[in-house]
Every structure is written in C-alpha cells, then in structure tokens.
Amino acid sequence: MTSMDNIRFVLVGTTHPGNIGAAARAMKTMGLSNLHLVSPKLYPSAEATARASGADDILHTAQVHDSLDEALVGCHYAFAMSARLRHLPVPVMNPRQAVEQLEKFDDNTHIAIVFGREHSGLSNEELDRCQYLINIPANPDYSSLNLAAAVQVLAYELKMSFQPQIDFGRIGEQREAITNDDLAHLYDHFERSLTTIGFLDPENPRHLMRRIKRLFNRADLDKNELHIMHGILRAAETKARSSND
C-alpha cells in the first residue's frame, strides 16, 4: 500500500483563499501534508493563513501550479472529486471505496486527489486527466458540501486506513488498574456504610448489594476512582455517626 506521504491533495481554481486555509487545516488534523494548488484566484493570503488555524506549515510547503497537468507530474493515478455524476466511462466510487482501491497500489505509487472549483467543480477536460471519480453520497435533497468539508471526508477515510488507532489515555493522568481484591474491599465498605447510614437493612437486604456489584463491575474503575468512592463512603459514615450523637 502506498504511504500517506505519496498522496497529494490538489485544489483546482480555488476562488476563496479561506477555503485553502480550511482545507490545509482539515488535512493536518488527519496527518496529511502534501497540498498542491492549481491557479488559485488569490494566494498567498492572510485569510488563508487565518483559516488554517495552526496549519501554516501545510500552506508554506504547498506547491502552486499553472495547470492541472503540472500538478499531476509524478503521479501514477488521479482520483477526481465530483458532486455531479456524469455519463463518463470512469469508475465511480464513494470515498471509502476509493481508499480501498488505493490500498491495492504498490508502496511507491503516487496518488492525487483532485478537488474542483467551489461553484463549478472540475471541467470535463480536467476529469479526463483522472482515472477514478469519487462522489460523496450526501443527502440527495441537500448535497452541497463546501470544499474544506469534502477535503475532511477524504482525509478522514485515509486516516482510518493508514492510522486508525485511538489513544484511550486520559490527558494529564495515567490510569492505574485495580484488582478483584480492590473491588471486594469496596463492596464490603459499601455494605458497612449503607448499613451505618440506614440505607441497607441487614435483615432484609434483598438484591441491593448484587445490583451495586453489577453497577461497579460495568464502571471499569481505576485506582483514583476507587479511592474517591472509599472517601465518599467514609464521609457518609462520619456524617451519620455525628447525627446520631
């Protein structure tokens, strides 16, 4: 499978510079950096930089071309984005299917994903330079996606193919696992505390403790959360005792 470094996003004839910045931001959030611009109406632009929101590096390395042919130099395959399905002998696929096709290519294959103008898309001549056509299956009653949104959809699908892992860690803290013994001690503490505050009748407990155990078995407590629960129970016991004195 080709690498993400070998995938370039090509924006053709972009009218609004803010859309270039927003597209760069969409790319960077998904780990893509290879941006090519074909005859943008206004670029460089302060508006593009502002809309990039920290993806300035993508803009600084973006290559500007006078024609789509120039932008495709070195590419083995080009995928054209189009909101309109045309009667052309070109394979049409949704973004996920396009990425599945891309996965079949060799490691050193260079790919271009080509996006058209905001209002008119790609011309027939430009579509003829591409081997595949990608269509985002949006709401047929309102299928209008802005340029950056379309870039984000494609960038996300690529990210899910190349680097789908999610970091489940918590910001600012490390989760420390607890043992079954820790849970057993917590359940004993619950039973004592609930008896102390009068919520549990030892002579008629019914299924209260069983339900509490089921609740905390689902909760996946860590060590810090376990200590919090013990602290709450101790505070409840202290309050109950002081009220009885």
Side-chain angles (χ1 to χ4, degrees), residues 42-59:
L42 181 60
Y43 188 82
S45 165
E47 184 179 355
T49 302
R51 290 286 301 279
S53 298
D56 307 52
D57 53 328
I58 308 297
L59 297 180

Side-chain angles (χ1 to χ4, degrees), residues 1-176:
M1 180 172 66
T2 189
S3 73
M4 290 183 75
D5 292 336
N6 291 343
I7 300 172
R8 67 183 67 171
F9 276 37
V10 181
L11 311 185
V12 177
T14 309
T15 302
H16 302 290
N19 288 335
I20 297 175
R25 179 180 182 180
M27 291 174 60
K28 185 168 184 176
T29 59
M30 296 295 126
L32 293 154
S33 60
N34 198 349
L35 177 62
H36 289 245
L37 307 172
V38 177
S39 300
K41 184 175 181 179
L42 181 60
Y43 188 82
S45 165
E47 184 179 355
T49 302
R51 290 286 301 279
S53 298
D56 307 52
D57 53 328
I58 308 297
L59 297 180
H60 292 159
T61 59
Q63 299 186 42
V64 181
H65 307 276
D66 293 327
S67 69
L68 178 58
D69 284 339
E70 288 182 15
L72 296 181
V73 169
C75 286
H76 299 91
Y77 299 97
F79 292 71
M81 291 292 302
S82 178
R84 296 186 298 276
L85 298 177
R86 311 182 191 210
H87 298 291
L88 295 173
V90 177
V92 180
M93 53 193 69
N94 64 41
R96 193 158 299 174
Q97 291 169 329
V99 173
E100 290 172 356
Q101 176 63 41
L102 186 148
E103 290 173 344
K104 300 175 184 178
F105 298 142
D106 294 335
D107 293 348
N108 295 322
T109 304
H110 288 260
I111 307 296
I113 311 292
V114 184
F115 298 81
R117 300 157 189 83
E118 291 95 326
H119 298 296
S120 58
L122 295 167
S123 68
N124 287 335
E125 291 75 16
E126 289 162 343
L127 286 170
D128 288 342
R129 296 289 288 111
C130 303
Q131 291 81 24
Y132 301 93
L133 180 63
I134 305 175
N135 179 267
I136 297 175
N139 178 0
D141 296 325
Y142 188 73
S143 60
S144 175
L145 274 86
N146 64 36
L147 176 59
V151 168
Q152 189 74 79
V153 170
L154 263 295
Y156 171 78
E157 290 295 340
L158 288 165
K159 173 71 171 176
M160 289 301 294
S161 174
F162 285 89
Q163 300 167 348
Q165 298 83 7
I166 298 175
D167 181 8
F168 288 99
R170 297 183 180 183
I171 297 175
E173 68 176 46
Q174 292 290 329
R175 294 200 75 193
E176 185 178 352

